[in-house]
Amino acid sequence: MSKKVKILTKGIIKENPVFFTLLGMCPTLALSSSAQNAVGLGIATLIVLICSNVIISLLKKLIPAQVRLPCYITIIAGFTTFITLLLKAFLPDLYNALGIFLSLIACNCIIFARVEVFASKNGVLDSALDGLGMGLGFTLALFIMGTIREILGAGTWFGLQLPQLTEPMTIFIMPAGGFFALGFVIAAVNKFMKKRPHNISCDNCPHKAMCRRGEDD
Amino acid sequence: MNDITRNLLIILITCVLTENFVLSQFLGICPFLGVSKKTSSSLGMGLMITFVMFFATILTFPIYYFILMPLNIEFMNTIAFILIIALFVQLTELVLKKYFPALNKSLGIYLPLMTTNCAILGVTIMNVSGEFNFLEAVFNAFCAGLGFLLVMLIFSGIRARMERCDIPASLRGMPITLIAAGILSLSFIGFSGMVEGIFGA
């Protein structure tokens, strides 16, 4: 039982996909200018991640190793389309706010990394838990970034007006502010956590197994 | 100046300077942060992305308008596009391996990373949003690649200078790289309003 809990919780803090493995940077930077959009995208990604993990874990014996990338792509893009249509029908405001990044869940590297590293080697329940944990970790990271940027940049939180202590610093809801905020959050993780974030390198790239870069060196 | 050149020039300035793919739209951040350590790899990655974006748009644009639209299955664009990009990348890889081994060795190594690059899927989806005709869409893809290449080259220079700096321990590695990217993005804000200023649009 404790092993299952470990699988679930490791993605949330200890191996947080954004702060430690530095994956999924594009949506983290792009949609964190408001906490609401950030959490919306986080949950959409969470659902795609759990579904893809479960399906790929079920099909792991059927998918031939040589063509696994196209198979994964099709499955992940299928679930992305599914969630896109659901949001369009039931939450049109969020659908419009997320824009192109909703479709781009299909090439979110966190999902590829989990599918390749975890779901293709583990059982269904473990994969679902792993997807849930990693998805929650991603949502948490987006929530933290969104909170910081929205409070500093717009003086609001989830659209609620906060008491104004200073003039909001618009720079934080601009693209440049996204880079600054993420830089400082990762610096804080560096400073206060025992475990150091990885550097972006081939070691934690989800495409490591398929890439020829390693062979040439 | 006729309408076509005017539109193309607007696309060029928008994609490269005012709405740069990396610095203001946050597409392709992974290669931007991961491969920009050396100028040579930045150049290779930038060229490869431009190449794949250009041909991916040539392939996906007609497929959207002549297959997906008549069948009323526009919502399938994500799946269709990502598979077409994967197919194109595989084909390019085979051709490079067989006929251009030298090029394959220097640029081919970036190819497997293209399939799931959000900048490439992003540009193909943006191009079918309805504002562009075929020529403009292809040019838009090309310019988006150019913008990416420009930023990669500038950033590799910045990172080479930072290598020799004394940086506080907790900022070392990724944090300082992100902060430098933020400053670069800040400097690109200086270009905003350029399109309106030149073309009065």
Side-chain angles (χ1 to χ4, degrees):
Chain A
M1 196 61 216
S2 69
K3 212 178 135 230
K4 302 265 183 255
V5 176
K6 225 178 199 168
I7 291 173
L8 177 66
T9 52
K10 74 169 190 286
I12 301 176
I13 309 268
K14 237 170 92 191
E15 285 179 30
N16 188 295
V18 177
F19 297 146
F20 285 107
T21 22
L22 305 175
L23 294 172
M25 304 289 249
C26 303
T28 312
L29 289 165
L31 286 164
S32 55
S33 56
S34 98
Q36 200 174 348
N37 294 349
V39 173
L41 184 85
I43 292 169
T45 311
L46 169 93
I47 296 168
V48 177
L49 181 53
I50 297 177
C51 297
S52 320
N53 257 3
V54 167
I55 294 292
I56 285 166
S57 165
L58 283 172
L59 297 176
K60 62 178 183 282
K61 292 221 171 71
L62 290 175
I63 298 175
Q66 298 90 334
V67 290
R68 65 189 190 284
L69 183 64
C71 297
Y72 297 164
I73 287 176
T74 317
I75 293 168
I76 297 170
F79 282 115
T80 307
T81 308
F82 163 74
I83 201 91
T84 309
L85 290 174
L86 275 184
L87 280 186
K88 197 176 180 180
F90 295 109
L91 294 167
D93 289 342
L94 188 63
Y95 171 82
N96 289 328
L98 298 182
I100 192 165
F101 279 92
L102 205 49
S103 308
L104 293 182
I105 294 177
C107 44
N108 187 316
C109 36
I110 297 175
I111 302 182
F112 276 97
R114 293 330 293 170
V115 161
E116 168 81 11
V117 174
F118 199 90
S120 59
K121 298 183 184 80
N122 289 282
V124 179
L125 182 62
D126 286 0
S127 300
L129 287 175
D130 179 76
L132 180 63
M134 286 290 164
L136 285 176
F138 181 60
T139 312
L140 176 74
L142 276 161
F143 170 75
I144 293 173
M145 283 286 293
T147 304
I148 295 174
R149 287 182 68 190
E150 197 182 337
I151 290 178
L152 291 179
T156 58
W157 191 54
F158 283 94
L160 299 169
Q161 188 67 45
L162 296 176
Q164 294 246 318
L165 302 173
T166 53
E167 193 71 13
M169 293 172 271
T170 323
I171 182 76
F172 274 98
I173 49 172
M174 288 162 83
F179 285 112
F180 287 131
L182 188 57
F184 283 112
V185 171
I186 294 178
V189 171
N190 242 340
K191 180 88 186 160
F192 298 113
M193 296 289 208
K194 265 181 250 146
K195 210 174 134 211
R196 285 294 161 104
H198 302 277
N199 247 325
I200 285 194
S201 69
C202 288
D203 294 333
N204 56 347
C205 175
H207 308 292
K208 194 180 166 195
M210 300 157 214
C211 187
R212 285 174 294 125
R213 236 185 137 170
E215 291 170 25
D216 289 345
D217 291 339
Chain B
M1 196 164 31
N2 61 23
D3 266 4
I4 298 176
T5 9
R6 184 169 174 274
N7 284 348
L8 293 187
L9 271 176
I10 291 181
I11 291 174
L12 177 71
I13 296 174
T14 311
C15 281
V16 178
L17 299 175
T18 56
E19 300 259 318
N20 189 286
F21 247 55
V22 182
L23 295 176
S24 62
Q25 307 204 30
F26 297 121
L27 293 168
I29 297 289
C30 299
F32 169 65
L33 295 173
V35 201
S36 61
K37 256 192 184 145
K38 278 188 280 170
T39 311
S40 59
S41 54
S42 296
L43 183 69
M45 189 75 184
L47 288 176
M48 216 63 231
I49 285 201
T50 314
F51 172 82
V52 179
M53 272 182 176
F54 183 74
F55 284 99
T57 302
I58 291 183
L59 291 173
T60 53
F61 193 90
I63 284 178
Y64 185 81
Y65 283 103
F66 296 116
I67 297 179
L68 299 184
M69 279 258 269
L71 294 174
N72 276 325
I73 47 167
E74 291 100 328
F75 64 86
M76 291 288 283
N77 63 357
T78 314
I79 300 183
F81 287 7
I82 202 167
L83 286 175
I84 291 163
I85 295 168
L87 190 74
F88 175 71
V89 167
Q90 278 292 320
L91 273 177
T92 318
E93 211 173 342
L94 287 177
V95 171
L96 274 184
K97 229 178 202 165
K98 183 102 208 289
Y99 299 106
F100 306 97
L103 201 60
N104 183 38
K105 207 149 188 177
S106 57
L107 294 180
I109 49 173
Y110 305 108
L111 262 176
L113 305 173
M114 295 296 151
T115 317
T116 53
N117 186 317
C118 57
I120 290 170
L121 184 63
V123 83
T124 54
I125 293 178
M126 278 178 196
N127 279 335
V128 295
S129 61
E131 26 172 337
F132 298 126
N133 59 33
F134 183 65
L135 179 69
E136 287 167 352
V138 172
F139 191 68
N140 184 47
F142 178 69
C143 292
L146 274 191
F148 187 86
L149 178 64
L150 174 76
V151 171
M152 285 290 277
L153 286 179
I154 297 177
F155 202 57
S156 67
I158 296 176
R159 284 187 78 170
R161 291 291 287 267
M162 281 195 317
E163 292 271 286
R164 288 191 289 271
C165 294
D166 188 22
I167 296 161
S170 50
L171 285 177
R172 257 172 233 160
M174 200 32 68
I176 195 73
T177 313
L178 281 165
I179 292 165
I183 296 172
L184 186 59
S185 166
L186 204 58
S187 66
F188 268 65
I189 295 178
F191 292 115
S192 58
M194 213 173 142
V195 173
E196 291 81 358
I198 296 176
F199 300 101

